[in-house]
Amino acid sequence: MYHHNHAGVDFRVFIQKMVKSKMARTYMEIGVRDGSTLAMIDCSAIGVDPCFQFSSSPIGTKPSLFLYQKTSDQFFRDHDVRAISGDTLDVVFLDGLHQFEYLLRDFINSERNCNRHSLIMLDDCLPVNAEMTERQHNPLQRKNQDYAGWWTGDAWKMIPILKKYRKDLHITLVDTTPTGIVCITNLNPSSTILEDNYYEILKEFGDAVMTDENIEKFYQENEIASSQAIMAGFNASLTVGP
């Protein structure tokens, strides 16, 4: 069974560093869960999750924090993100439901509320093995029980989708533990390409599965950047907008 273990820093540390490096004023997180990532962010923030399970206070030193206990689809339907944040979003972290159509919608809705120089980060797109890419998490049926608790779903499909439909984006795959982060810049808030082709994309990628052979090919075709190198060399002056 093919494995690709990532050797980079913990994804929370990487996100915290990116927020600080960009001197972000506004941050949004979809899929907050226990708040451990959100708690490490110092700027004004928005958190969305259908069922918060905070282990400690997520407020920290933030000047403001807005929490919405609902699905991301409900949140984007019911709320004006820019009115909440007071501006476009500088950094977004998407870690919601691990099924690609949900992540695709979250990206579409998030980009609309960003500026060209914003940073959107996608979680769970770089699975360690093929088994964890199942659409429904079935740990008891896994052959490899060492990773049975890990579930990325088919979020990995976002990489070929964006590379095909949004060649204008700058996409960097990063080796954060446990299941990588995809950093996306050069955003276009006015783009409707993904939305216009949404159902075509679902039809095209819906039945795709990640086998051992496919995941090996996936890592041969996609270069993975070092999280340490990015954190050391990130130049905020080149990416802060608007």
Side-chain angles (χ1 to χ4, degrees), residues 48-52 68-79:
V48 181
D49 196 292
C51 184
F52 291 116
Y68 295 87
Q69 190 161 252
K70 52 178 63 179
T71 68
S72 55
D73 286 334
Q74 292 170 333
F75 169 73
F76 287 116
R77 178 196 67 194
D78 297 341
H79 301 281

Side-chain angles (χ1 to χ4, degrees), residues 119-136:
L119 168 66
I120 296 180
M121 293 179 281
L122 314 181
D123 197 27
D124 296 311
C125 291
L126 302 177
V128 172
N129 66 23
E131 283 192 314
M132 64 181 63
T133 66
E134 58 195 356
R135 291 271 298 172
Q136 301 292 335

Side-chain angles (χ1 to χ4, degrees), residues 4 23 57 63-64 95 97 132 145 185 203 209:
H4 186 99
M23 298 177 286
S57 172
S64 63
D95 187 21
L97 186 61
M132 64 181 63
Q145 284 296 305
T185 55
K203 185 176 181 180
V209 294

